[in-house]
Amino acid sequence: DAKTTQPNSMESNEEEPVHLPCNHSTISGTDYIHWYRQLPSQGPEYVIHGLTSNVNNRMASLAIAEDRKSSTLILHRATLRDAAVYYCILRAELPRRFSGNQFYFGTGTSLTVIP
Amino acid sequence: NAGVTQTPKFQVLKTGQSMTLQCAQDMNHNSMYWYRQDPGMGLRLIYYSASEGTTDKGEVPNGYNVSRLNKREFSLRLESAAPSQTSVYFCASIFTSGGYYEQYFGPGTRLTVT
């Protein structure tokens, strides 16, 4: 049972904004929404995360729906270096006895940036 | 500051052979994770260690064992490799502070089992 669903691929023109959607209809109240991206032949790297409110950082913005069943990663001006697979991930706190967190990765969206 | 390092970068094993994947971080993080990524798939958690001296199973632990040798190092062992374990393996360490939570990933180990 997939925790998150994302489009397989998207394209964007360079210098234009990109909106990457993610559905997580089974999210629970304590699950955080994280976004990571993975460039070819590299490990994933952190982009942004949030719980309920919209979030901004130097890389991107995260817009979270009021019911939290979906979210959108916004890249304000796509560059060629933003071409990557973007993963929308839910982070669930495990029961206390495990003292950790569980991350649920989907299959991601492959973003192509057109010069 | 090297971040998260993994060795080896590539490995080819025959079915039934054993090997240990090494992971080390120099960021003084408490938690470390091992993931595998199959072609065209997202990452799946194999094992994690929330702190030195503790390890727990993730989503796909069968066929693997782990050791949290010290705070810096977290190794993944395949006792008897199978072709189904052909994958790219990523180690990650986790920085947490208040509500902030970020995983730092290593470059990966590409393992082929023939």
Side-chain angles (χ1 to χ4, degrees):
Chain A
D1 55 337
K3 298 284 186 179
T4 63
T5 54
Q6 301 175 250
N8 287 333
S9 61
M10 291 183 66
E11 284 186 354
S12 173
N13 293 320
E14 196 177 10
E15 310 260 321
E16 290 188 355
V18 183
H19 290 234
L20 297 163
C22 179
N23 287 318
H24 29 78
S25 58
T26 59
I27 192 170
S28 72
T30 55
D31 290 349
Y32 285 76
I33 302 156
H34 286 245
W35 285 81
Y36 279 71
R37 70 181 187 182
Q38 187 174 23
L39 290 95
S41 301
Q42 293 189 26
E45 65 173 348
Y46 172 83
V47 177
I48 200 166
H49 80 283
L51 182 62
T52 55
S53 305
N54 295 345
V55 184
N56 300 297
N57 66 20
R58 64 175 177 80
M59 287 182 73
S61 296
L62 175 60
I64 302 172
E66 199 168 329
D67 62 5
R68 299 208 328 125
K69 293 183 185 300
S70 65
S71 61
T72 302
L73 177 71
I74 302 164
L75 307 179
H76 295 288
R77 290 179 66 212
T79 69
L80 296 178
R81 292 183 301 171
D82 291 324
V85 178
Y86 286 79
Y87 292 100
C88 170
I89 304 155
L90 297 186
R91 171 168 67 91
E93 289 196 7
L94 291 167
R96 187 167 297 178
R97 66 183 184 277
F98 292 113
S99 299
N101 287 264
Q102 179 76 56
F103 289 84
Y104 298 99
F105 278 78
T107 53
T109 297
S110 179
L111 176 66
T112 300
V113 180
I114 302 165
Chain B
N1 189 337
V4 179
T5 57
Q6 292 183 237
T7 56
K9 285 188 167 45
F10 301 92
Q11 183 70 50
V12 178
L13 291 178
K14 290 186 178 358
T15 297
Q17 287 185 318
S18 62
M19 79 162 293
T20 299
L21 281 64
Q22 306 286 355
C23 174
Q25 52 95 4
D26 61 2
M27 296 172 284
N28 203 37
H29 294 163
N30 286 321
S31 298
M32 297 180 74
Y33 286 55
W34 274 107
Y35 292 92
R36 60 176 287 173
Q37 184 175 33
D38 299 324
M41 304 284 286
L43 279 71
R44 291 185 293 170
L45 183 65
I46 306 171
Y47 270 93
Y48 69 97
S49 171
S51 61
E52 185 179 354
T54 68
T55 61
D56 282 296
K57 295 178 181 178
E59 183 184 357
V60 288
N62 291 344
Y64 305 96
N65 283 303
V66 290
S67 295
R68 184 74 183 268
L69 304 169
N70 47 54
K71 194 170 187 178
R72 289 188 65 247
E73 298 171 290
F74 187 37
S75 63
L76 178 72
R77 182 159 178 83
L78 286 71
E79 291 292 349
S80 179
S84 61
Q85 293 178 304
T86 293
S87 190
V88 181
Y89 291 85
F90 289 102
C91 176
S93 72
I94 290 84
F95 170 73
T96 64
S97 176
Y100 188 80
Y101 199 100
E102 180 174 346
Q103 296 191 71
Y104 291 81
F105 284 86
T109 294
R110 281 156 179 75
L111 175 67
T112 302
V113 183
T114 61

